[in-house]
Each structure stands twice: as C-alpha cells, then as structure tokens.
C-alpha cells in the first residue's frame, strides 16, 4: 500500500522501525487523550475525541460522530477510537520555527492578515518576547520529544512548518525524525492544512542527506491524510547581506566556487506573502510548488551588484569544486566529521552549475498573485545599501576600498 511505499523511500530504516514498534499508534492515542481532556472545558463535551488513520483523511470539523480504526499490520494491533468533529476557526494557525529568518516573517504577515497565530518555540532562557509583542501567543515544546507536541496543536486549523536544524544540531534528528513525529501528531489532532517548506530539486539530488530528508518528508506528508501544501524554495535574499554585502563594506575576506550555479532568490517577506496566499486558496491544497524569484543570479552577479551599490571593488578567489568533492570524500571516513560531510555534499550541489529556478506563471495563478508583487534582488540590495551608506554618512564613517577575496 501507499504507506509501505513511503517506508521503502524513507532515508533509513528508522521510520520503519518506529512504525512497526507501534509508536505511530502511541502518538495518535496520546493526542486523542490530550485533545479529549483539554477540549472538555472549552469547546466540546466529555465524549469528544480525535483520531488518525494511515493514508486516510482525519476527522474533519463539523462531521457527525464516527468510529475509525488505526492499524499497524506488522504489530498486529488494532485500535478503535470514537471521533467527533470539533469546530476550529480557519484563522487559527500554528507556526513552527517562528523565530527563524522565514518563520518570523510568516508570523508577522499572518498577524497583519488577521490570523490568530500561535508559535511553537523551544524551551530556552531567552524567550521569544518579540513574537508576543507582535500579538502572537507562544507555546513551549521540543520537536525531538514527541510527547511535548500535542498541546500546541489543540484548536489549530493550519500548521506552517518553517523549522530546520541549526548548524550545531543533528540534522537527522530535526529534519527527519522530528518531522515525522510532528506530522503524526498534526494528523492525529485533525489539522486541516499542513504547509511544509522544502528545497528546490530535492527529488533530483537525493545523494545529499538534507535534500533526501526533505524529499522523504514530502512523501511522508502526502500519505498523512491531511491536506498539505509543499513549497520548495530556491534561496533567500537575506543571507546575501551577511555573505556578500557586509563583507564588501567592511573589507572582510570572502570565498566562493568556480562554477556558474544560478539561484532565483526571494525575499523572505515575499515567501511569507506567497505562503499566506497558499493557505487562503483551495487551489493550492495538495500541491507541490516551487517558489522562485523574478531572475536567477550567479555568485559573480551578486558580487557585481554589491560592488556597484557599495562603491567597492573586490578581487575574486575561487575554491575549485573538485576540492569540495575531495574534502567531502575525506570527511566520510570519520564519525566526528559526518555532519561536515553532509554540509559539504549540499555545498557541492550548490556549486555544480545547476539552476535553482522555476517558471512561476502557473504558480502565480494558483496563488492569485502577479510577478510585480515580488521584490527583485536589485531592489532588495539597493534598499539595503542606500540605508547603510546613509547611516555611515550620518555618523561620519566610511568604507575603505581594498582587496577582498571571494
């Protein structure tokens, strides 16, 4: 069946062992019990509950009470759970990864459009006060601890998952294992729409661990029973500031590769705008769409723009792609350097001369948008440099021209 096919495509045997040990059922029952006990006091009667079926739609709000069966054939277990729909507002939204570069833009856009936004944030000493200042609510949970997740999903219609592993974190634990647990919990709690951010061309480069995990999560989400929208991203404009614009102004060394890879960068504010458009429109349900900027740029193009707008001239030093491949091969032999090897694999793809871009004509139609609604890279960098240079002039500073390395 379709679920077994998903197991076969999973990046490792981890998912299979999890499902075959009945964790899927355990999570579903945990979510059912929590939803029942929590909803009694606020929304539903004591008999209300939620359920999850593998490869089938979860109970929808407003439907009559039914009984559904959750099965795990390998474990020969069958659980029958009575269900009834619990109405939730379509404007209720949970954003996962809300403190990140993209997640915070999604939160701001959703709040501006009148959504009731709840943000799932990890427990930490410095809480995300800025999210509450904007008008969102926060709930603490740890994506690597599935038992902490169900409370965040109560009373939520739409989930937008913008979370990803930080450089110092275990990518496999966050971008695969935690994603599976999150999707399982969302489906068990009857979430109506799940939006997931993936990577452009991840299906074509499964030799790269991160891209393989993104593709596997896409396939896992498709058979979860929820309505979904997968948004494959080419690249963000924001990292270009720290990667190229600031070093040019501050005369810091830069490094690049001797390739002609081109990327159609998007401003994260435009990605947030497209995301909310996808949430609003039924045409975007159960689709995988690539979001790309108006034009694709090579690293040389980006550097040239920064030089032009910043009034600096940089000397270019390239790292051969062959050196990346050799380094990746070397790090594979050592357990302590496996994470570095994974990142080098991704860098190798980025430096392979391919084009991260897509024709947006049909996507704009689905989202009800126009190309003119999207910021170009020239506009984005011009706004940044005009603000920075104006500020430098006000404080009497200057950017000395020197040699830079890329």
């Amino acid at each position: 069946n379709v679920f077994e096919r998903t197991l076969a495509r999973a990046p490792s045997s981890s998912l299979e062992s999890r499902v075959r040990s009945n964790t899927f059922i355990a999570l579903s029952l945990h979510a059912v019990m929590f939803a029942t006990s929590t909803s009694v006091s606020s929304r539903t009667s004591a008999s209300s509950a939620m359920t999850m079926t593998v490869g089938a739609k979860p109970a929808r709000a407003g439907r009559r009470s039914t009984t559904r069966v959750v099965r795990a054939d390998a474990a020969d277990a069958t659980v029958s759970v009575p269900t009834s729909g619990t109405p939730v507002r379509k404007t209720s939204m949970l954003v996962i990864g809300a403190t990140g570069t993209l997640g915070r833009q999604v939160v701001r856009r959703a709040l501006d459009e009148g959504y009731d936004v709840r943000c799932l944030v990890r427990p930490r000493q410095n809480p995300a006060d800025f999210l509450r200042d904007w008008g969102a609510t926060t709930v603490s949970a740890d994506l690597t601890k599935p038992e902490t997740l169900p409370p965040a999903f109560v009373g939520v219609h739409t989930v937008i998952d913008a979370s990803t592993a930080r450089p110092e974190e275990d990518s496999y634990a966050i971008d695969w294992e935690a994603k599976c647990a999150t999707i399982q919990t969302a489906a068990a709690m009857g979430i109506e729409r799940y939006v997931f951010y993936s990577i452009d061309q991840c299906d074509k480069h499964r030799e790269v661990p991160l891209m393989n995990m993104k593709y596997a999560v896409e396939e896992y989400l498709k058979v979860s029973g929820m309505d979904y929208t997968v948004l494959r991203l080419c690249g963000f404009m924001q990292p270009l500031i720290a990667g190229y614009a600031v070093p040019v102004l501050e005369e810091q060394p830069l490094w690049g590769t001797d390739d002609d890879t081109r990327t159609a960068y998007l401003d994260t504010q435009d990605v947030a705008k497209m995301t909310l458009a996808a949430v609003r429109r039924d045409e975007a349900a159960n689709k995988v769409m690539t979001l790309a900027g108006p034009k694709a740029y090579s690293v040389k193009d980006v550097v040239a723009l920064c030089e032009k707008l910043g009034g600096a001239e940089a000397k270019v030093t390239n790292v051969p792609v062959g050196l990346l491949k050799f380094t990746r091969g070397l790090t594979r032999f050592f357990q302590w350097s496996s994470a570095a090897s994974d990142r080098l694999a991704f860098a190798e793809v980025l430096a392979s001369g391919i084009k991260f871009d897509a024709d947006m004509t049909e996507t704009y139609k689905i989202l009800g948008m126009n190309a003119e609604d999207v910021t170009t890279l020239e506009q984005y960098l011009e706004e940044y440099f005009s603000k920075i240079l104006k500020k430098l002039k006000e404080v009497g500073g200057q950017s000395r021209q020197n040699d830079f390395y890329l």
Side-chain angles (χ1 to χ4, degrees):
N1 59 36
V2 69
F3 196 69
E4 290 295 332
R5 292 198 299 273
T6 301
L7 293 180
R9 289 193 295 264
S12 79
S13 60
S14 173
L15 173 59
E16 184 172 2
S17 62
R18 182 190 297 108
V19 175
R20 297 191 185 284
S21 64
N22 257 349
T23 305
F24 194 101
I25 291 179
L27 270 175
S28 299
L29 290 179
H30 183 93
V32 169
M33 290 185 290
F34 180 85
T36 302
S37 61
T38 304
S39 301
V40 164
S41 61
S42 60
R43 293 187 177 219
T44 66
S45 65
S47 62
S48 297
M50 296 181 182
T51 191
M52 167 72 186
T53 57
V54 177
K57 293 282 184 181
R60 298 300 187 190
R63 292 185 180 175
R64 63 184 177 86
S65 178
T66 60
T67 298
R68 297 199 175 188
V69 178
V70 183
R71 296 184 183 274
D73 294 335
D76 195 25
T78 302
V79 181
S80 297
V81 183
T83 67
S84 60
T86 302
V88 295
R89 290 175 295 178
K90 294 187 70 174
T91 56
S92 57
M93 176 182 294
L94 173 67
V95 179
I96 305 174
T99 60
T101 303
L102 175 58
R104 64 182 60 197
Q105 296 298 339
V106 171
V107 171
R108 294 198 67 169
R109 183 77 188 188
L111 290 169
D112 290 343
E113 293 191 12
Y115 284 84
D116 299 318
V117 182
R118 183 184 305 168
C119 303
L120 190 153
V121 297
R122 69 186 73 193
R124 53 184 175 179
Q125 292 182 340
N126 298 321
D129 291 334
F130 70 94
L131 296 173
R132 290 187 289 273
D133 292 340
W134 291 349
T137 59
T138 59
V139 57
S140 295
D142 188 337
L143 294 178
T144 63
K145 298 178 180 179
E147 67 275 10
T148 69
L149 298 178
F153 292 81
V154 175
V156 169
H157 180 280
T158 300
V159 171
I160 297 179
D161 189 349
S163 63
T164 192
R166 296 174 178 174
E168 69 274 12
E169 293 178 324
D170 182 355
S171 181
Y172 185 83
I174 300 296
D175 290 307
W176 173 242
E177 294 182 329
K179 283 288 184 286
C180 291
T182 304
I183 291 171
Q184 291 167 6
T185 303
M189 299 297 287
I191 297 301
E192 296 282 347
R193 176 76 72 86
Y194 197 107
V195 179
F196 172 66
Y197 294 109
S198 188
I199 301 175
D200 181 36
Q201 302 190 45
C202 61
D203 54 327
K204 300 178 182 178
H205 297 281
R206 300 191 63 187
E207 73 280 5
V208 179
L210 178 60
M211 300 181 84
N212 184 38
M213 285 185 281
K214 289 289 187 181
Y215 177 71
V217 172
E218 289 182 10
E219 295 300 296
Y220 192 68
L221 181 58
K222 289 177 183 178
V223 298
S224 68
M226 294 180 289
D227 285 339
Y228 65 87
T229 300
V230 174
L231 301 176
R232 292 181 174 179
L233 306 175
C234 296
F236 297 150
M237 294 181 183
Q238 276 68 18
L240 300 180
I241 299 300
Y244 303 111
V246 170
V248 165
L249 287 173
E250 296 185 355
E251 303 179 2
Q252 297 175 354
L254 299 169
W255 299 89
T257 54
D258 56 347
D259 68 282
D260 194 35
T261 299
R262 308 184 77 83
T263 304
Y265 298 101
L266 273 171
D267 186 347
T268 53
Q269 293 186 24
D270 289 330
V271 176
K273 185 190 306 181
M274 294 175 177
T275 301
L276 271 295
V279 170
R280 289 192 307 269
R281 298 176 69 87
D282 293 336
E283 297 91 331
N286 303 316
K287 281 188 170 55
V288 177
M289 298 182 290
T290 297
L291 303 185
K295 181 182 175 182
Y297 298 83
S298 67
V299 170
K300 295 177 182 178
D301 295 333
V302 174
V303 172
L305 272 174
C306 292
E307 289 176 331
K308 176 183 176 182
L309 297 171
E313 183 178 353
K315 288 185 177 181
V316 177
T317 299
N318 294 318
V319 177
V321 175
L323 180 59
L324 285 179
K325 295 181 179 179
F326 172 78
T327 306
R328 181 196 175 195
L330 185 63
T331 56
R332 282 177 173 171
F333 291 103
F334 304 98
Q335 183 178 2
W336 55 265
S337 62
S338 59
S341 177
D342 290 350
R343 291 185 175 86
L344 284 171
F346 188 61
E348 183 180 320
V349 170
L350 292 177
S352 60
I354 64 177
K355 190 174 183 179
F356 291 92
D357 195 6
D359 184 353
M360 290 287 291
T361 304
E362 183 62 26
T363 301
Y364 283 138
K365 290 180 181 178
I366 294 174
L367 300 179
M369 296 177 61
N370 299 308
E372 293 75 20
D373 299 329
V374 178
T375 304
T376 66
L377 182 59
E378 288 90 341
Q379 292 171 333
Y380 180 81
L381 289 176
E382 185 175 358
E383 181 180 4
Y384 171 79
F385 277 104
S386 63
K387 289 181 178 180
I388 291 298
L389 294 178
K390 179 180 179 181
K391 191 67 177 178
L392 287 172
K393 185 177 181 180
E394 290 175 354
V395 299
Q398 62 178 357
S399 175
R400 299 184 304 274
Q401 185 173 332
N402 208 329
D403 290 343
F404 308 96
Y405 297 88
L406 176 71

